[in-house]
Amino acid sequence: MTTPTTTPRLFRMLASTVGPPYFPLAFVGRLPFAMMIVGVLTVTAIEQGSLALAGVLAAAAGLGTASLGPLSGSLADRFGQRRVLLVLAVSSALAAVGFLALVRLDLPVAVLIASAAVLGATTPQVAPFSRARLVGAASSMPRSDGARAQSVVMSYESMADEASFVLGPVLVGALSAGIAPWAPLALSAVVTLTVVTAFALHPTATLVRTEPDDRPASARTPVRALVTVELTVLVLAMVAVGGIFGSILTGLTALLQQLGAVEQTGLLYGAMSVGAIATALAMMAVPASIGLSLRWITGSAMAIAAVVLLTATDEIPIVALALFVAGCGVGASLVALFSLGAIAAPPDRTNTVLVTLQSSLVVGQAILTAISGLIAESTGATAVFAVGAALAIVLLGLAVASRLAGPSGGDSPRRSAR
């Protein structure tokens, strides 16, 4: 009987495949994406003096990211990540400079919305591209280690995502206060031109399968083939997770505003990120016998309990605990969802599927942040948290549906046959 490879050894094997410098490069490369929406919100609020306009432009940037994200993934599957990321790096830097110039002027709102949407659309989504590369590295391992290595990949990537989304807003706040409101987006442009370009040129770009230009069109997996019940459920689940993020952040801001402690919003919201990071790390050690859909169900149930608790308390310590538990539940769900997406994706459409899932997360967050803001103004924080609880129930329902979809509960081994 073969002894399973330990998690630390699996990670070392992955690191030796991609090279240790890959991880800091891929992490720093995702910071512009993590800083973009908050950066747009901050510079608009200060330069235009309107929180309402700032919210509209931030939503436009988020929807711009989500609308063209799947296209960038599809192009990467066709032409390779390297070409797509190089084009996006230059385009995003120019879009950031353009937005910073326009937001200082007295222009029609439609022009500013268009500029913010272009910035969002061109900001490279390094995270799903990194997932695709590491999935490729995991697929090159022996069959006995491949599935567990993929689980390690998704856990690590979820941890890196959460860490970047903690650090991103902190950098925006520090640079805005210490230098100027334009500094965060300016730094993002510099990082995009340098680090994202280096990520594009990194040798791991070849780990993701692409289709040669001379391959017959009939031999490629058409995009319409991705419109399956399995992937549709995963996309809807990602929208729900994004909505949970957006509603909790908005509800927390409204609650602390009522309590006169709005300055603690970032600190308390960080408890949710800490929970997600801790769970992502813990998921590396979960036995393979506990299937992905079961992990998703467990995470959804934890999120429901936590958000329901938020509707019933205004005690800061209890709120912090509830946010931590919510983060644990969402973290477990995200690892499972991305893993299921990587399994469900045809080998020549890995980038498309993973970027689509990431974009769906952004869509849910952008839409629910806007809706929750209106609810918070008219009704209060409790109603916003109730929306988050309803979304967590939807997430659980989708998890159960995925579990009942087949005898494997959605944990198909197709990827190992790559």
Side-chain angles (χ1 to χ4, degrees):
M1 180 177 178
T2 303
T3 303
T5 307
T6 63
T7 297
R9 178 167 168 74
L10 281 174
F11 194 84
R12 288 195 297 270
M13 291 166 66
L14 281 171
S16 66
T17 300
V18 301
Y22 172 84
F23 294 101
L25 188 67
F27 179 77
V28 176
R30 71 187 74 199
L31 287 178
F33 184 78
M35 297 170 66
M36 184 261 300
I37 291 180
V38 181
V40 168
L41 185 73
T42 302
V43 73
T44 303
I46 294 174
E47 294 292 349
Q48 294 286 329
S50 170
L51 284 174
L53 178 59
V56 169
L57 297 192
L63 292 176
T65 297
S67 62
L68 286 190
L71 176 60
S72 68
S74 180
L75 291 173
D77 284 324
R78 182 72 182 89
F79 301 107
Q81 287 190 9
R82 186 164 291 159
R83 297 185 198 179
V84 173
L85 285 170
L86 289 174
V87 171
L88 286 176
V90 175
S91 302
S92 180
L94 293 175
V97 172
F99 178 79
L100 288 175
L102 294 176
V103 79
R104 298 172 62 91
L105 304 176
D106 185 16
L107 295 172
V109 172
V111 174
L112 297 178
I113 289 176
S115 179
V118 170
L119 174 58
T122 55
T123 301
Q125 297 193 45
V126 170
F129 284 142
S130 177
R131 278 187 174 88
R133 294 187 189 192
L134 292 181
V135 165
S139 298
S140 67
M141 291 185 176
R143 191 180 186 91
S144 59
D145 292 329
R148 291 192 62 241
Q150 182 171 291
S151 177
V152 169
V153 164
M154 294 305 170
S155 295
Y156 165 76
E157 284 291 328
S158 294
M159 178 196 68
D161 273 352
E162 288 298 328
S164 71
F165 280 109
V166 172
L167 181 58
V170 170
L171 284 173
V172 171
L175 291 169
S176 297
I179 301 177
W182 51 261
L185 290 181
L187 176 63
S188 291
V190 172
V191 171
T192 300
L193 276 176
T194 56
V195 179
V196 174
T197 296
F199 178 77
L201 298 175
H202 194 274
T204 52
T206 61
L207 290 173
V208 185
R209 174 178 169 182
T210 56
E211 298 310 313
D213 292 341
D214 58 354
R215 186 180 182 189
S218 59
R220 305 178 195 132
T221 302
V223 173
R224 64 178 179 275
L226 301 181
V227 185
T228 63
V229 172
E230 185 177 11
L231 287 176
T232 299
V233 168
L234 295 180
V235 166
L236 291 175
M238 278 297 190
V239 172
V241 172
I244 292 170
F245 276 124
S247 59
I248 287 180
L249 177 57
T250 305
L252 177 64
T253 303
L255 174 62
L256 294 178
Q257 195 170 36
Q258 294 169 14
L259 298 176
V262 71
E263 70 280 357
Q264 297 184 36
T265 300
L267 180 62
L268 282 173
Y269 190 68
M272 187 171 177
S273 294
V274 170
I277 292 171
T279 302
L281 283 171
M283 291 282 279
M284 294 184 186
V286 174
S289 57
I290 300 177
L292 295 172
S293 54
L294 183 57
R295 303 180 199 191
W296 176 8
I297 289 172
T298 304
S300 303
M302 292 175 67
I304 292 171
V307 185
V308 167
L309 179 58
L310 287 173
T311 67
T313 185
D314 59 2
E315 297 291 332
I316 297 297
I318 299 177
V319 168
L321 175 61
L323 289 169
F324 177 81
V325 174
C328 291
V330 169
S333 298
L334 282 176
V335 173
L337 289 169
F338 276 119
S339 297
L340 288 168
I343 291 170
D348 59 345
R349 288 292 183 182
T350 302
N351 288 301
T352 305
V353 170
L354 293 180
V355 175
T356 298
L357 292 180
Q358 184 83 22
S359 297
S360 301
L361 188 69
V362 176
V363 167
Q365 187 168 13
I367 293 175
L368 265 295
T369 297
I371 293 174
S372 298
L374 296 175
I375 295 174
E377 285 189 5
S378 61
T379 311
T382 300
V384 178
F385 288 137
V387 171
L391 288 169
I393 292 171
V394 169
L395 183 64
L396 176 60
L398 292 169
V400 172
S402 175
R403 178 74 176 178
L404 297 177
S408 63
D411 305 335
S412 167
R414 280 176 288 171
R415 170 65 64 181
S416 63
R418 178 176 174 173

